[in-house]
């Protein structure tokens, strides 16, 4: 059974993500099937545009199948883990270099791997229902799928903020930040999809839209507090912002994450600033195969996704106690 469906017509190939019970989390079969389909369509002269949609009204794609990865980690099946991430990153690379228009319609949650199959594409359409995030530090992992490339290229401090805190960004804000390219009210998304399927001009479909809601993201604060790659300095600055509710919320998010993952994330984002996308993927693959061997990964996934008690026991439990040589061994190949 495949969790993706496809249809072709009017020069448009559509991939429909259809694993609703798992919010379209990408398992190995979905990754392999998408790569196969996109490879064939890339060489098909009759197809000019690729459209990616979801059969679920709750999510575009909630990420990778991280519970399955934990199962492999617990069983010490590290070859399977490396194969999963290698194939996922290969898919994301294909999308980033795809020779044809690639359009993702994001209505609902798009997290982790869901950004990998959308942000790297040419056009990312969001609605007021869209919710974008990279929450990996909370499960003992790090923002991957090319995030160590695209997060550092957002406005100052924004990538570090998203990567460390896992903060969720609504649709219009995603456009303001550069994670998405177009905003469409949810009530109009079906008509946009139908117009794309009919082969209408993308300029006609999306070019004249000017209904982007304003953003109330505290961009100045984000740049002030997260414009650094020193996790201790970031957390110290936030803790010193007495009476600032937003800063207090950020402290709570950081304190709930794996301290090791926070340092790994900061180091990878810093390295990604001056790297190519392909170099970032290579670095992420090494880091993914290393960090999934740690207690924090298995424990973080257990607490957040398996038992759902949201009380992980990370080791070490504070950022000051993290061994920087361990961080270096995860980050550096």
């Amino acid at each position: 059974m495949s969790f993706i469906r496809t249809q072709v017509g009017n020069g448009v190939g559509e991939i429909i993500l259809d694993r609703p019970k798992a919010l379209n989390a990408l398992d190995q079969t979905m990754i392999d099937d998408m790569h196969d389909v996109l490879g064939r369509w890339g060489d098909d002269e009759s197809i000019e545009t690729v459209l990616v949609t979801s059969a679920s009204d709750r999510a575009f794609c909630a990420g990778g199948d991280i519970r399955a990865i934990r199962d492999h980690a617990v069983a010490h099946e590290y070859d399977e883990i490396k194969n999963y991430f290698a194939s996922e990153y290969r898919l994301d690379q294909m999308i980033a270099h795809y020779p044809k228009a690639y359009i993702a319609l994001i209505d609902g949650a798009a997290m982790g791997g869901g950004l990998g199959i959308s942000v790297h594409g040419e056009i990312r359409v969001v609605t007021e229902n869209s919710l974008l995030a990279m929450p990996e530090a909370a499960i003992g992992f790090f923002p991957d799928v090319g995030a160590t490339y695209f997060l550092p290229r957002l406005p100052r401090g924004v990538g570090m903020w998203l990567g460390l805190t896992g903060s969720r960004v609504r649709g219009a804000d995603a456009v303001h930040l550069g994670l998405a390219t177009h905003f469409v009210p949810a009530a109009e998304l079906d008509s946009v999809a139908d117009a794309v399927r009919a082969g209408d001009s993308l300029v006609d479909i999306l070019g004249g839209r000017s209904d982007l809601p304003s953003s109330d993201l505290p961009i100045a604060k984000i740049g002030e507090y997260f414009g650094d790659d020193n996790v201790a300095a970031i957390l110290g600055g936030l803790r010193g912002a007495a009476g600032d509710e937003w800063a207090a919320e950020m402290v709570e998010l950081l304190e709930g994450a794996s301290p090791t993952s926070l340092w790994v994330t900061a180091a990878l984002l810093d390295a990604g600033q001056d790297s190519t996308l392909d170099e970032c993927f290579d670095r992420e693959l090494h880091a993914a195969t290393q960090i999934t061997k740690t207690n924090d990964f298995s424990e973080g996934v257990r607490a957040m996704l398996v038992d759902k008690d949201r009380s992980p026991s990370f080791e070490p439990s504070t950022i000051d106690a993290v061994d920087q040589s361990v961080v270096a061994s995860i980050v550096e190949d």
Side-chain angles (χ1 to χ4, degrees):
M1 176 181 178
S2 177
F3 292 116
I4 70 168
R5 294 184 282 115
T6 62
Q7 57 187 27
V8 177
N10 302 309
V12 178
E14 181 176 1
I15 294 175
I16 305 160
L17 306 175
D18 192 13
R19 193 187 180 200
K21 290 183 179 179
L23 299 181
N24 293 335
L26 299 170
D27 71 356
Q28 188 70 60
T29 68
M30 294 173 75
I31 292 168
D32 293 343
D33 288 349
M34 281 192 70
H35 188 273
D36 177 63
V37 168
L38 289 174
R40 288 189 282 108
W41 287 352
D43 295 329
D44 189 336
E45 294 183 358
S46 70
I47 296 178
E48 300 176 353
T49 301
V50 169
L51 176 66
V52 183
T53 61
S54 168
S56 168
D57 58 3
R58 295 177 57 199
F60 172 73
C61 173
D65 195 357
I66 209 72
R67 292 181 62 168
I69 297 302
R70 179 184 183 271
D71 289 343
H72 287 310
V74 170
H76 303 290
E77 297 169 345
Y78 298 119
D79 287 344
E80 286 81 354
I81 292 174
K82 185 174 183 178
N83 178 66
Y84 176 88
F85 286 116
S87 57
E88 183 181 23
Y89 300 167
R90 181 184 65 162
L91 171 61
D92 297 334
Q93 283 175 301
M94 172 183 279
I95 292 169
H97 301 299
Y98 206 63
K100 302 178 180 183
Y102 183 99
I103 306 169
L105 301 187
I106 305 169
D107 189 39
M111 301 184 182
L115 295 187
I117 61 170
S118 57
V119 168
H120 296 297
E122 181 181 357
I123 297 174
R124 293 92 66 189
V125 180
V126 291
T127 75
E128 68 272 19
N129 299 328
S130 304
L131 199 64
L132 284 64
M134 297 296 296
E136 290 79 7
I139 59 168
F141 198 63
F142 64 90
D144 63 334
V145 298
T148 61
Y149 178 84
F150 65 74
L151 287 181
R153 285 159 178 78
L154 300 181
R156 180 175 181 267
V158 169
M160 195 65 71
W161 167 62
L162 292 173
L164 295 181
T165 67
S167 293
R168 299 179 176 189
V169 175
R170 289 288 181 184
D173 287 334
V175 178
H176 285 287
L177 294 178
L179 288 171
T181 58
H182 298 81
F183 177 87
V184 171
E188 300 176 20
L189 194 63
D190 285 345
S191 64
V192 168
D194 288 341
V196 173
R197 295 180 186 116
D200 294 352
S201 164
L202 296 179
V203 173
D204 292 340
I205 297 169
L206 298 169
R209 292 184 171 273
S210 58
D211 52 359
L212 177 64
S214 60
S215 173
D216 59 0
L217 286 175
I219 294 297
K221 282 187 180 182
I222 292 171
E224 175 185 356
Y225 289 112
F226 289 89
D228 195 332
D229 64 354
N230 187 313
V231 177
I234 291 171
L235 189 53
L238 290 165
R239 284 172 173 165
D244 187 325
E245 291 185 7
W246 179 84
E249 290 175 6
M250 296 305 106
V251 169
E252 184 176 355
L253 290 173
L254 291 172
E255 290 180 340
S258 157
T260 299
S261 289
L262 292 177
W263 284 109
V264 168
T265 295
L268 287 169
L269 293 182
D270 182 57
Q273 292 185 83
D274 300 312
S275 300
T276 66
L277 175 61
D278 290 349
E279 288 171 340
C280 286
F281 276 124
D282 288 342
R283 193 179 294 117
E284 289 177 11
L285 182 58
H286 171 77
T289 58
Q290 296 305 308
I291 205 168
T292 50
K293 297 176 183 178
T294 68
N295 170 79
D296 277 15
F297 174 74
S298 295
E299 173 63 8
V301 178
R302 179 207 64 76
M304 303 303 289
L305 301 177
V306 180
D307 297 338
K308 299 182 181 179
D309 58 32
R310 297 187 175 273
S311 298
S313 296
F314 292 129
E315 302 173 4
S317 60
T318 66
I319 59 169
D320 293 332
V322 173
D323 184 342
Q324 292 302 319
S325 68
V326 172
V327 174
S329 70
I330 294 172
V331 173
E332 300 170 9
D333 191 350

